[in-house]
């Protein structure tokens, strides 16, 4: 009989059928108790202003309105900042266009949204700071600047054979998750609140609401069944919606649903940090970097939010896959009068990786060499050149193997030749190709967040299993993968496992589902809980049947001890009748990691994910339009628990990254008003923007050398960065116009306008 293992196999997402039939409950789908009211938020029309008066008379009188809340209704902390203050729920002074000022509850969502428009707010307008450059000039920062250093960068650059200088910008990005921000709150007895929230972070939602209400944490329960995508949009920025919704529920003593309109969602919440960099690099004849000096400045918006951690992850990824001997980086966290920028898949790492990739590209065009070859020459190596700029020894490096395999499987070299030929024969349409690597560090860089809990029950009646863990299902497949791990560990069918909604009263003090770590951490905690139940069962078997030192082998619905075999269900029922506990909590902490934030040295990551892509694009030099013709990706997912789900992440991440670097452009007017607040003005990739040929493959030899569940590696964030190859393929296509002799200046995103400007600029140089 073929043994069913339920791991290392393609299985559909546990909710796949519910997703496509519309039967899956998202926060907004939860059935409402009678008397439920609906919320809407009134927000600032000024980016920087003293609020002289908020006159809500007409709002109160508006049809269907039951209650209005302002800062006067907040008994406790008027702030939802996760690490630092700076994100008031309702501020005294408006600091960005779109900042919430008050909220209403009405009998329908439409009436609530209509009512907020009746507010009369008088402002004394102040001058806003809206750009990174302005903030740098005025020294407007959310946190202190930071300098990190390894070796002697300035000296090394000075004495290099070649030197280059330049600047580079990557743009912001709206998360645009299918499901927007939403919350649903039901008041309970004793002033307790049951909060359903679209969030990656139920535990912090609970803390934030408790502090706002001046109530104990045990009076607030937050539950999250699933998210329709999130990508960092609700690591912290869901808090204000859950908080406002709870405030309305407290005031009205009725259930409140707050589902934010797409435009309001985009206007109120922060996005990816755009980064501006200046670089000065020294390199040798081979293109190997000898010294690097960087200035990295990010647009943080009005508050710190997670910007400290995001900029830190940027500093930890200025190397990408390259060995840097001498590095000096200055990092500035710019405060601007725009919504507070926040976590977004990649969390600052990809912005920094783009900086070094742009530098390598600049080196390659300067030396007139193949950029893939220059990249390869700078790779970290195995026995030497394997210490990062933060002093961590890299022990799991497979980038050379990935390079070799992908360059071959993608026919990079021959395609490069035919592209050059195509370009010499075509005047207006140009093609480009590029290889880029990815190395991404896995673990929260904030040490204490690397912990997780789980709760596992086995029911005696039928041996079915209920798992609850601290991770949030957001399309990442965490529940599917943990159910697979559970089925495997207990040797029973996948259909007997139920993973239920994440909730703060089952597993407490959880970390955000973030940092690509959700399955690693919560999967390990679940296996820990299962091993404790197995110990209970082994102790019982030892006691009853005098079988010694046997842990039991769980396979195919059977449990084998030395000399005795049980059907799983029978053992469970028997254990129950003999008063054995069939339930346990589990806990996990990531081993080996430590990091000194002051000296910027240590081992912040348990392991690295490696990946690479080769992309081929076509541009129209008359219109600036571009198209991805082909993308080949080779991604190290270790020993993947569910290759189908990982492949979905690898493909989806790439397309999302291509959006960030290609068509998606967030635009603010000089007065701080965001103009790209709906799909009419903000272009995300569509089905037609998928690569025409798309080969996303998992690296077959991949294995996690660390003790991670199933020796797997996560696929959460790293695949996004494979899209760097698209951007530099576009740059390569532009460079063909100057016969590859000059370096085109191109900032991200490479929109048609930017491509046309780059071409114009290049033609002036040649
Ligand atoms: N969130 C966080 C993250 O709090 N710390 C991190 O290191 C991180 N990394 C990636 C994504 N989210
Ligand atoms: Mo994230 S960027 O919420 O892991």
């Amino acid at each position: 009989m073929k043994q069913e293992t339920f791991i290392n196999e393609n299985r559909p997402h546990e909710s796949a059928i519910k997703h496509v039939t519309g039967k899956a409950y998202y926060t907004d789908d939860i059935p409402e108790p009678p008397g439920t009211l609906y919320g809407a938020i009134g927000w600032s029309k000024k980016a920087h202003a003293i609020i002289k008066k908020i006159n809500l008379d007409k709002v109160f009188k508006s049809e269907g309105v039951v209650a209005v809340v302002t800062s006067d209704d907040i008994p406790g902390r008027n702030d939802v900042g996760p690490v630092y203050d700076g994100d008031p729920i309702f501020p005294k002074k408006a600091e960005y266009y779109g900042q919430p000022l008050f909220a209403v509850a009405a009998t329908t969502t439409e009436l609530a949204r209509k009512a907020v428009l009746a507010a009369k707010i008088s402002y004394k307008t102040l001058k806003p700071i809206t750009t990174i450059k302005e903030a740098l000039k005025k020294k407007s920062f959310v946190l202190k600047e930071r300098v990190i250093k390894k070796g002697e960068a300035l000296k090394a650059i000075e004495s290099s054979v070649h030197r280059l200088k330049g600047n580079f910008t990557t743009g912001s990005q709206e998360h645009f998750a299918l499901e927007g921000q939403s919350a649903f709150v039901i008041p309970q007895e004793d002033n307790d609140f049951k909060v359903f929230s679209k969030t990656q972070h139920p535990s912090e939602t609970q803390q934030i609401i408790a502090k706002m209400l001046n109530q104990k944490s045990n009076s607030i329960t937050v539950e999250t069944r699933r998210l329709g995508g999130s990508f960092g949009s609700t690591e912290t920025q869901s808090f204000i919606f859950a908080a406002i919704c709870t405030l309305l529920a407290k005031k009205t003593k009725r259930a409140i649903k707050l589902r934010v309109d797409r435009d309001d969602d985009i206007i109120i919440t922060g996005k990816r940090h755009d980064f501006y960099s200046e670089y000065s690099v020294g390199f040798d004849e081979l293109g190997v970097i000898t010294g690097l000096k960087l200035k990295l400045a990010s647009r943080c918006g009005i508050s710190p939010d997670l910007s400290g951690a995001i900029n830190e992850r940027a500093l930890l990824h200025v190397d990408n896959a390259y060995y840097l001997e001498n590095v000096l980086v200055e990092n500035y966290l710019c405060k601007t009068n725009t919504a507070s920028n926040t976590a977004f898949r990649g969390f600052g790492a990809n912005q920094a990786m783009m900086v070094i990739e742009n530098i390598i590209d600049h080196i390659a065009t300067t030396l007139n060499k193949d950029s893939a070859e220059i990249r390869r020459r700078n790779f970290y190596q195995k026995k030497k050149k394997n210490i990062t700029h933060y002093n961590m020894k890299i022990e799991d490096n497979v980038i050379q193997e990935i390079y070799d395999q992908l360059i071959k499987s993608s026919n990079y070299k021959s395609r490069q030749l035919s592209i050059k030929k195509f370009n010499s024969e075509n005047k207006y349409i140009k093609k480009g190709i590029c290889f880029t690597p990815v190395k991404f560090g896995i673990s929260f860089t904030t040490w204490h967040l690397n912990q997780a809990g789980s709760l596992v029950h086995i029911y005696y009646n039928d041996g079915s299993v209920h798992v609850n863990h601290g991770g949030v299902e957001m399309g990442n497949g965490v529940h599917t993968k943990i159910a697979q791990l559970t089925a495997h560990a207990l040797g029973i069918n996948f259909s007997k496992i139920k993973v239920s909604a994440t909730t703060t009263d089952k597993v407490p003090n959880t970390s955000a589902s973030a940092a690509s770590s959700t399955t690693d951490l919560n999967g390990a905690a679940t296996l820990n809980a299962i091993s404790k139940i197995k110990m209970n069962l082994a102790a019982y078997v030892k006691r009853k049947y005098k079988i010694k030192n046997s842990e039991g082998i769980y396979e195919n619905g059977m449990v084998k001890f030395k000399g005795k075999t049980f059907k799983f269900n029978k053992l469970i029922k028997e254990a129950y009748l003999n008063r054995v506990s069939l339930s346990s909590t589990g806990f996990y902490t990531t081993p080996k990691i430590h990091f000194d934030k002051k000296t910027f040295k240590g081992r912040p990551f348990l392991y690295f994910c490696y990946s690479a892509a080769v992309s081929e694009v076509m541009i129209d030099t008359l219109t600036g339009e571009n198209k991805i013709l082909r993308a080949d990706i080779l991604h190290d997912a270790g020993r993947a628990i569910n290759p189908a789900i990982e492949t979905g992440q690898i493909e989806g991440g790439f397309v999302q990254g291509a959006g960030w670097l290609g068509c998606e452009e967030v635009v603010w007017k000089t007065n701080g008003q965001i103009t790209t607040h709906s799909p009419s003005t903000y272009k995300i990739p569509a089905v037609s923007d998928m690569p025409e040929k798309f080969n996303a493959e998992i690296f077959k030899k991949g294995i996690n050398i660390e003790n991670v569940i199933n020796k797997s590696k996560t696929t959460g964030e790293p695949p996004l960065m494979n899209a760097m190859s698209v951007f530099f393929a576009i740059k390569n296509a532009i460079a063909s116009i100057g016969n590859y002799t000059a370096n085109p200046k191109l900032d991200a995103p490479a929109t048609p306008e930017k491509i046309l400007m780059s071409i114009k600029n290049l033609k002036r140089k040649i």
Side-chain angles (χ1 to χ4, degrees), residues 428-429 618-627 662 730 734 746 750-757 759:
Y428 300 118
I429 304 291
M618 183 164 76
I619 63 170
D620 181 331
T621 60
L622 297 177
T623 63
E625 283 168 286
N626 63 84
K627 173 129 201 66
I730 291 176
I734 297 172
L746 182 68
T751 57
E753 294 93 315
K754 290 253 187 62
I755 290 172
L756 287 179
M757 285 192 287
I759 293 170

Side-chain angles (χ1 to χ4, degrees), residues 564-582:
K564 182 140 182 81
T565 298
F566 297 86
K567 279 201 169 126
F568 179 83
N569 281 11
K570 240 176 133 247
L571 174 64
I572 293 300
K573 192 169 265 176
E574 190 181 320
Y576 164 75
L577 293 171
N578 285 280
R579 306 192 301 179
V580 174
S581 168
L582 297 169

Side-chain angles (χ1 to χ4, degrees), residues 200 231-233 235 343-347 513-516 717:
Q200 289 167 245
F231 318 112
S233 64
E235 184 169 338
F344 195 140
R345 201 172 191 176
F347 206 74
S513 284
S516 305
E717 295 167 289

Side-chain angles (χ1 to χ4, degrees), residues 326-354:
N326 300 289
V327 198
L328 177 65
V329 191
E330 294 169 17
N331 177 213
Y332 298 95
L333 294 86
C334 297
K335 175 169 175 163
T336 52
N337 291 105
T338 49
S340 192
N341 281 339
T342 194
F344 195 140
R345 201 172 191 176
F347 206 74
N350 40 329
Q351 291 94 318
M353 286 154 69
M354 278 297 285

